[in-house]
Amino acid sequence: MTLRRWREESWRQIQEGFRQGKIREDDKFRAKDELQELIDECKVIRLAVDSLTSFSLLYKTILERKEANLTFFNLMRKWKCTSLLTVNDDLLTNSPELGFETDGIIMLYHVKRKEKRVRALEILKMKGIKIPEETFPLKIDNK
């Protein structure tokens, strides 16, 4: 079975497929070619990946994860499309080199203050602009 047949499945199911041997290690490399075909075929100009953390968990060791992430960043650069990726904060903490590979990092927070949850946004890095040194409240509504 190749990753093409798994395309609509969640990352958790893909990981389970690796554990059970339903997806082979070399399918990861074929998936890269299939993704390249999709990018070219559909003339993709924007790409969203939710989440890079899940993608990283397909690899066993920290070194393999870092190499896979850097390879993926290089691929996105080659595709010349605007890319938006979500990551778990732990991934940035454990792989700070990812920050060097990005043009911008925007942190979204959902913290508990007193007995209420508060959302906030902070720009850690944005290539080409002077960034504010503050965290901004974030409100999500139907407007």
Side-chain angles (χ1 to χ4, degrees), residues 7-53:
R7 187 174 14 207
E8 300 301 321
E9 301 294 328
S10 72
W11 278 111
R12 185 178 300 149
Q13 289 168 321
I14 292 172
Q15 289 173 321
E16 189 60 31
F18 276 111
R19 276 189 228 110
Q20 293 176 358
K22 293 179 182 176
I23 300 175
R24 297 177 310 276
E25 189 73 21
D26 60 331
D27 287 332
K28 292 177 195 175
F29 302 106
R30 256 190 301 233
K32 191 171 22 172
D33 296 334
E34 291 172 6
L35 197 51
Q36 179 69 57
E37 281 177 36
L38 271 172
I39 298 287
D40 294 340
E41 202 174 288
C42 299
K43 296 178 175 54
V44 172
I45 59 171
R46 290 182 191 90
L47 175 69
V49 177
D50 184 18
S51 97
L52 188 62
T53 306

Side-chain angles (χ1 to χ4, degrees), residues 5-142:
R5 292 184 57 200
W6 286 79
R7 187 174 14 207
E8 300 301 321
E9 301 294 328
S10 72
W11 278 111
R12 185 178 300 149
Q13 289 168 321
I14 292 172
Q15 289 173 321
E16 189 60 31
F18 276 111
R19 276 189 228 110
Q20 293 176 358
K22 293 179 182 176
I23 300 175
R24 297 177 310 276
E25 189 73 21
D26 60 331
D27 287 332
K28 292 177 195 175
F29 302 106
R30 256 190 301 233
K32 191 171 22 172
D33 296 334
E34 291 172 6
L35 197 51
Q36 179 69 57
E37 281 177 36
L38 271 172
I39 298 287
D40 294 340
E41 202 174 288
C42 299
K43 296 178 175 54
V44 172
I45 59 171
R46 290 182 191 90
L47 175 69
V49 177
D50 184 18
S51 97
L52 188 62
T53 306
S54 295
F55 168 76
S56 298
L57 292 175
L58 291 171
Y59 298 88
K60 294 176 185 166
T61 68
I62 292 173
L63 180 60
E64 287 176 327
R65 290 174 185 166
K66 288 180 180 189
E67 288 173 345
N69 288 332
L70 292 175
T71 299
F72 189 53
F73 274 93
N74 289 331
L75 275 173
M76 288 187 291
R77 218 174 274 109
K78 178 182 162 191
W79 296 331
K80 296 182 178 158
C81 58
T82 302
S83 305
L84 175 69
L85 299 99
T86 64
V87 296
N88 182 302
D89 191 30
D90 292 345
L91 184 62
L92 282 176
T93 304
N94 294 328
S95 299
E97 69 280 351
L98 290 180
F100 295 111
E101 297 295 321
T102 63
D103 292 333
I105 299 175
I106 300 172
M107 301 293 289
L108 300 174
Y109 302 109
H110 193 218
V111 295
K112 194 165 188 174
R113 292 254 165 89
K114 298 185 181 177
E115 295 187 21
K116 196 175 183 183
R117 289 228 169 247
V118 178
R119 296 182 190 278
L121 178 142
E122 179 181 19
I123 302 171
L124 292 183
K125 173 185 175 182
M126 192 63 57
K127 188 176 181 178
I129 67 165
K130 184 178 187 286
I131 60 170
E133 296 293 326
E134 58 189 289
T135 302
F136 299 95
L138 177 66
K139 183 178 180 184
I140 300 174
D141 57 29
N142 293 329

